[in-house]
Amino acid sequence: MSSERISRRVRGIAPSGIRRFFDIAATMPDVISLGVGEPDFMTPEVIRQAGQRSIDQTTAYTSNSGLYELREAVVEHLKQRYNVMYDAEHDVLMTVGVSEAMAATALALFDPGDEVLMPEPCFVAYMASVQLADARPVYVPTRVEECFQVTGAALEAAITPRTKAIMIGYPNNPTGAVLSPERMREIAEVARRHDLLVLSDEIYDRLVYGVEHTCFASLPGMRDRTVLFGGFSKAYAMTGWRLGWMAAPEEITAAVRKVHQYAIMSAPTMSQYAGIEALRHGEASVQAMVAEYDRRRRMIVDGLNAIGLKTFEPQGAFYAFPFIGHLGMTSEQFCDRLLTEEHVAVIPGDAFGPSGAGYVRACYATSMEKIEVALERIERFVRRIA
């Protein structure tokens, strides 16, 4: 069959560099995966029970926007935690994870040829979401010397008359970087000066270590030009429940809802009931998981540095981002050989953008025991090839 039958927009999108290594690792019996960013914890029991109970009550659709009770809980969460105000009826939409929220938002907001500034390394779905809307992602490099935080000057240099938005993701996947208040103010000033929207993916907002997360929409003047994304997958260990949300000014949310209602209809009903329980009674479990991630973070960062792989100190999410460029191979070659020879799966850094070249992403959302064995295997591999 000719590839010409496939649309140009889809032909132009590369397959996920994350899933390729995940699929290979899944065929290997003793592999230790530091690949896919998925908590190894079960969803907390009280949250599971809420989802299970809901199945005995209803298996029907919810409204397109999602259960009103859940939207109210999201609004209350944002108010209490970040002092940012939204209206549950008009401003909030429940989605099938943050990835659907981003894709629907891109389709609702961008026209062909619009440009979206994208600090990178960044999550692989950002570029694809923009491309599916026939818009153009414009990479804005970040550097380890600046703690992988994008600067206002770097954004300013990338702006053209076609620039419509900035898409940011902090705490960052893959680097673990957290934006400082100074950098956030710089981004806000660029957005204000050039009348740009900011799409802020804050799915890792609860997973921070020794710092405080600042919600971008809470910055002065930013609530009305921000599309805020959040969800349940990471902090509540609810990846398979596929539940996320977006919050934005009413006009934007209404536009995104149009895409959502035709593509999705509504987020899974039982997941939404579980989400209500997560926001109301899941805090103790979140705190326990964050404390455990912090222990793992310290182990993997110290271990990689001891091996000789200089590793940026992550302050958020659950990823380490060691530099391997001095070993005489590309990131992909390193990952291929480490998986084949030592059965440890990590992800090439340049799967997340050009600035990731020479790095690999290692997810520490797995047990201390597995991290310890993985570090032993990585050290053996590095010593053999160095």
Side-chain angles (χ1 to χ4, degrees), residues 222-252:
M222 289 299 110
R223 188 265 187 207
D224 288 339
R225 64 171 69 251
T226 299
V227 182
L228 181 63
F229 301 120
F232 297 81
S233 293
K234 311 302 182 180
Y236 299 99
M238 292 177 65
T239 50
W241 297 80
R242 306 312 303 132
L243 184 64
W245 52 262
M246 62 154 289
E250 179 180 352
E251 180 184 24
I252 290 176

Side-chain angles (χ1 to χ4, degrees), residues 105-366:
T105 298
L107 288 169
L109 297 183
F110 304 140
D111 290 315
D114 283 346
E115 294 179 353
V116 181
L117 304 187
M118 201 167 291
E120 53 83 23
C122 61
F123 181 46
V124 296
Y126 296 178
M127 181 175 72
S129 295
V130 171
Q131 287 179 307
L132 285 169
D134 285 331
R136 178 173 174 254
V138 177
Y139 278 149
V140 180
T142 65
R143 304 184 309 144
V144 69
E145 292 82 4
E146 293 167 338
C147 297
F148 291 113
Q149 298 185 49
V150 68
T151 65
L155 292 169
E156 192 85 42
I159 289 174
T160 76
R162 298 306 303 266
T163 306
K164 189 167 186 179
I166 304 167
M167 183 177 284
I168 58 174
Y170 291 93
N172 181 262
N173 173 10
T175 66
V178 174
L179 279 177
S180 68
E182 176 188 7
R183 292 288 181 251
M184 295 190 85
R185 288 193 294 268
E186 290 178 13
I187 297 170
E189 176 56 24
V190 170
R192 185 199 61 77
R193 190 163 55 247
H194 294 277
D195 192 25
L196 302 177
L197 293 169
V198 177
L199 279 58
S200 185
D201 174 12
E202 302 185 20
I203 185 67
Y204 294 100
D205 70 323
R206 304 303 314 283
L207 306 185
V208 291
Y209 316 100
V211 295
E212 291 290 328
H213 172 74
T214 299
C215 175
F216 194 85
S218 71
L219 298 176
M222 289 299 110
R223 188 265 187 207
D224 288 339
R225 64 171 69 251
T226 299
V227 182
L228 181 63
F229 301 120
F232 297 81
S233 293
K234 311 302 182 180
Y236 299 99
M238 292 177 65
T239 50
W241 297 80
R242 306 312 303 132
L243 184 64
W245 52 262
M246 62 154 289
E250 179 180 352
E251 180 184 24
I252 290 176
T253 302
V256 178
R257 190 184 298 113
K258 287 183 183 180
V259 179
H260 171 80
Q261 69 183 1
Y262 289 117
I264 300 296
M265 180 65 76
S266 60
T269 301
M270 58 290 301
S271 299
Q272 293 188 56
Y273 280 103
I276 294 169
E277 187 70 21
L279 289 173
R280 290 182 176 170
H281 301 113
E283 183 61 24
S285 295
V286 172
Q287 293 298 331
M289 287 187 280
V290 170
E292 178 60 19
Y293 287 140
D294 197 14
R295 290 179 62 235
R296 299 171 182 185
R297 177 182 73 104
R298 191 70 274 145
M299 170 182 268
I300 198 168
V301 171
D302 290 349
L304 290 169
N305 279 319
I307 291 168
L309 302 181
K310 189 174 181 181
T311 302
F312 169 73
E313 179 81 29
Q315 293 183 307
F318 39 50
Y319 307 105
F321 205 56
F323 181 71
I324 57 87
H326 60 294
L327 295 175
M329 59 181 67
T330 67
S331 297
E332 184 149 346
Q333 289 169 340
F334 180 96
C335 293
D336 277 332
R337 287 190 58 183
L338 181 64
L339 182 57
T340 301
E341 298 176 24
E342 293 292 346
H343 292 195
V344 175
V346 295
I347 306 298
D350 46 8
F352 305 93
S355 296
Y359 293 85
V360 298
R361 190 193 78 173
C363 176
Y364 52 84
T366 192

